[in-house]
Amino acid sequence: MSAIGSSRTSAEIASQPAVWRQAAASLPRQAPALPRRGERVAVVGCGTSWFMAQSYAVLRETGGHGETDAFAASEFPVGRRYDRVLAITRSGTTTEVLDLLHRLKGTVATGAVTADPDTPVMQAADAVAVLDFADEESVVQTRFATANLALLRAHLESVNALPAGVLPLDDAVRDAERAVNEPLDADVPGAEQFTFLGTGWTCGLALEAALKMREAAGAWTEAYPAMEYRHGPISITGPGRVTWAFGRLPEGLAGDVDRVGGTLVADSTGVAGSLDPLADLIRAQRLAVVCAEARGHDPDRPRNLTRSVVLEDGRG
């Protein structure tokens, strides 16, 4: 199955290796908005940005940079003490994020990462990292989300706080170039159901992959921590259904998928988890576009979605 589709979303997906390099190169000017070593940090966002926050929180804390929590912006525990709150918002206009930043103003240091410097988040946060080169025309987020995580990963790497076993970003970029170009298994897009699994920092990637499939293709998708798979989710697996793991599978899990007749997704090496997990997310994004087009959906114009959720009077 061909690597690059004809939609705008496909073009943005294909641009990610170059955009990740640009994100890393921009680190010196973005650093004032990012957490300092030892700070107790909360990272917030909505939808895709929340899932990227979850992945970053695990990377930062596991790497010894500081205690880190992640919350949906609407569920932030106001009153809990943090040294810094970092908000992720592609549009810079999301109501829940702006409401929270305004509520926290003057009580805690705040930062934000956005794609648009001409939006209210520039005034709502104390410092803002702007990834305007990663902005998107598509409603469905792809490259801004991964560029954001690439930036945060590069920041950890620059201060020797990248967790053991996580590749340097240059290696992840090379894997991303492979993920953009290698063919997808022709049988996978026709699956009836998809379950995405992650471990540690890749749990957020699994949630994001499932969201992409729902947003773009209206597909039946679920996502779980990999070790939770045996505690119920395996019951949904069977012939014509796919299990996709980000990172290495826990011991014995591949055999469990095979035993119940499911299809385990592997890359071109035939080994699940041989790609950097963030690069593997590119393959899941591509799958979402392929499935959308096969079902007669326009991946550039997903049903029931807008590029930013802006609520009237903050309530809807």
Side-chain angles (χ1 to χ4, degrees):
M1 186 166 294
S2 63
I4 307 299
S6 60
S7 67
R8 180 61 192 169
T9 303
S10 293
E12 290 170 349
I13 289 171
S15 73
Q16 287 174 103
V19 168
W20 294 4
R21 286 195 178 93
Q22 199 166 351
S26 76
L27 179 58
R29 72 172 182 271
Q30 316 291 9
L34 305 183
R36 280 64 164 164
R37 184 184 291 274
E39 288 183 330
R40 187 167 188 256
V41 171
V43 194
V44 301
C46 298
T48 288
S49 295
W50 176 33
F51 300 146
M52 296 301 102
Q54 291 180 42
S55 288
Y56 170 61
V58 177
L59 282 172
R60 181 174 186 264
E61 186 161 320
T62 305
H65 199 251
E67 185 177 349
T68 318
D69 295 324
F71 301 99
S74 58
E75 297 297 323
F76 181 80
V78 175
R80 185 179 296 181
R81 186 193 64 79
Y82 289 100
D83 299 312
R84 183 177 304 272
V85 174
L86 178 66
I88 302 172
T89 169
R90 175 180 66 169
S91 69
T93 61
T94 303
T95 298
E96 298 99 306
V97 171
L98 294 177
D99 282 354
L100 177 60
L101 289 173
H102 287 307
R103 188 171 182 182
L104 297 176
K105 196 78 169 179
T107 67
V108 62
T110 59
V113 185
T114 191
D116 190 343
D118 298 316
T119 54
V121 75
M122 301 299 293
Q123 287 72 48
D126 296 334
V128 183
V130 178
L131 305 183
D132 49 356
F133 52 84
D135 203 358
E136 298 156 320
E137 294 179 15
S138 300
V139 171
V140 173
Q141 278 200 55
T142 56
R143 73 180 182 190
F144 173 74
T146 60
N148 179 84
L149 196 52
L151 172 71
L152 294 169
R153 203 167 142 175
H155 181 241
L156 293 176
E157 185 179 347
S158 74
V159 294
N160 298 315
L162 203 61
V166 177
L167 293 176
L169 190 63
D170 281 348
D171 291 345
V173 170
R174 285 191 285 273
D175 276 359
E177 291 168 340
R178 182 173 136 209
V180 164
N181 291 301
E182 71 175 24
L184 295 172
D185 187 330
D187 295 332
V188 171
E192 176 190 21
Q193 187 272 340
F194 302 83
T195 298
F196 295 94
L197 305 176
T199 304
W201 74 278
T202 72
C203 286
L205 303 184
L207 289 165
E208 170 60 7
L211 181 64
K212 287 289 90 70
M213 292 290 291
R214 287 191 291 269
E215 288 179 328
W220 175 15
T221 60
E222 303 182 16
Y224 303 94
M227 289 299 289
E228 288 296 305
Y229 181 66
R230 299 178 179 94
H231 296 276
I234 193 172
S235 65
I236 209 69
T237 306
R241 297 178 180 180
V242 162
T243 301
W244 183 314
F246 289 91
R248 296 288 179 179
L249 282 169
E251 186 176 353
L253 198 144
D256 291 337
V257 174
D258 183 66
R259 175 175 55 81
V260 298
T263 298
L264 180 65
V265 171
D267 60 36
S268 59
T269 67
V271 179
S274 67
L275 278 177
D276 180 89
L278 189 58
D280 201 22
L281 181 59
I282 292 176
R283 296 174 65 238
Q285 293 168 345
R286 290 175 49 213
L287 175 65
V289 171
V290 169
C291 288
E293 292 172 342
R295 298 174 185 212
H297 302 317
D298 183 348
D300 292 340
R301 297 173 180 82
R303 296 179 300 174
N304 307 324
L305 295 177
T306 58
R307 193 172 183 276
S308 173
V309 177
V310 180
L311 306 177
E312 296 178 9
D313 299 323
R315 296 178 182 275

